[in-house]
Amino acid sequence: MNPYIAEFIGTGVLLLLGSGVVANVVLPQTKGNGGGLIAITTAWALAVFCGVVVAGPYSGAHLNPAVTVGLGIAGKFDWALAPGYILAQIGGAMLGSFLAWLMYRDHFDLADDPGLKRAPFCTDPAIRNFNTSLTSEILGTFVLIFVILYISGAKLESTEATPIGLGSVGGIPVAFLVWVIGLALGGTSGYAINPARDLGPRIMHQILPIKGKGSSDWGYAWVPIVGPIIGCALAAGLYLVVGS
């Protein structure tokens, strides 16, 4: 695998499992229906772990444009690679969410609420207040990137060439980090903290033939894109000020 393929596949694994757990919890007549926030946040954290394991040795397993941009600002990633990484992440997110829909398509057909049909693809605010949701995405992503920057010095044995990123810190610490962000800061906006995680699946929701799917809510779509970019920039900026 080259780094771009690794980002594509790793993000695809992340979204297959992440979209899959939301579908399992919210859609009718699934085995996991009603599993709640703990099931969702735990599975998303473990989905990050799985994506990092796959992509880490080849790309650093950013799996998230906010990670790519944050590391670039902090001087820990080559900006020339960033466009390819981000495109691969969006494409992988599209594929993963498509596969999750393919698996749960019978249950999508059983759902009457368009909001439930959209939930496995992209985030929605608990209360529709753009300022609150934007603040949530900024803070959640700030914590994600700031902590990653302080643990990214760890390296896997015999992988000196591994690019700096999520893969260089090992999957387990990052999984715990995503888990606590979801539990502590995910109650308002659904903690996208990842523009590709929201944009790619939202595009798939728009184009897939989902019966009674309703709007893809593009009026909200800027929040999980702009918020994480602001959050990662603030985290990287603070890191540069206070020192490594």
Side-chain angles (χ1 to χ4, degrees):
M1 281 197 288
N2 67 40
Y4 303 122
I5 293 174
E7 286 294 301
F8 178 82
I9 295 174
T11 311
V13 170
L14 169 63
L15 265 294
L16 169 61
L17 300 175
S19 293
V21 68
V22 177
N24 193 20
V25 168
V26 305
L27 295 178
Q29 296 188 34
T30 64
K31 298 293 187 179
N33 181 258
L37 182 65
I38 298 297
I40 290 174
T41 55
T42 303
W44 269 106
L46 296 175
V48 170
F49 172 78
C50 293
V52 169
V53 167
V54 171
Y58 306 98
S59 69
H62 295 189
L63 314 182
N64 181 346
V67 173
T68 301
V69 172
L71 293 176
I73 293 172
K76 294 181 175 293
F77 184 70
D78 183 356
W79 280 110
L81 299 175
Y85 266 53
I86 292 171
L87 288 174
Q89 291 155 6
I90 293 172
M94 293 174 68
L95 175 63
S97 61
F98 166 74
L99 293 175
W101 167 75
L102 195 65
M103 177 174 173
Y104 283 100
R105 62 191 182 279
D106 290 342
H107 300 274
F108 275 97
D109 289 343
L110 291 174
D112 295 324
D113 184 350
L116 293 182
K117 294 175 185 284
R118 187 173 63 237
F121 291 93
C122 51
T123 58
D124 281 308
I127 298 174
R128 199 171 181 84
N129 182 317
F130 288 116
N131 290 332
T132 299
S133 297
L134 186 64
T135 300
S136 172
E137 292 296 334
I138 291 172
L139 285 175
T141 310
F142 176 90
V143 172
L144 175 70
I145 303 305
F146 194 66
V147 174
I148 284 173
L149 284 169
Y150 274 96
I151 59 178
S152 62
K155 294 186 181 296
L156 298 173
E157 291 295 328
S158 303
T159 57
E160 293 180 2
T162 299
I164 292 212
L166 295 189
S168 68
V169 305
I172 293 176
V174 179
F176 278 124
L177 176 58
V178 171
W179 195 10
V180 73
I181 290 171
L183 289 173
L185 304 176
T188 56
S189 68
Y191 78 114
I193 59 173
N194 181 342
R197 169 263 175 276
D198 195 275
L199 177 60
R202 198 180 295 267
I203 293 172
M204 294 308 299
H205 179 269
Q206 177 71 46
I207 64 179
L208 285 173
I210 306 169
K211 182 176 66 176
K213 65 183 177 181
S215 168
S216 298
D217 196 10
W218 289 104
Y220 180 78
W222 66 273
V223 173
I225 296 174
V226 173
I229 297 302
I230 295 173
C232 77
L234 291 174
L238 181 60
Y239 175 81
L240 291 174
V241 170
V242 301
S244 58

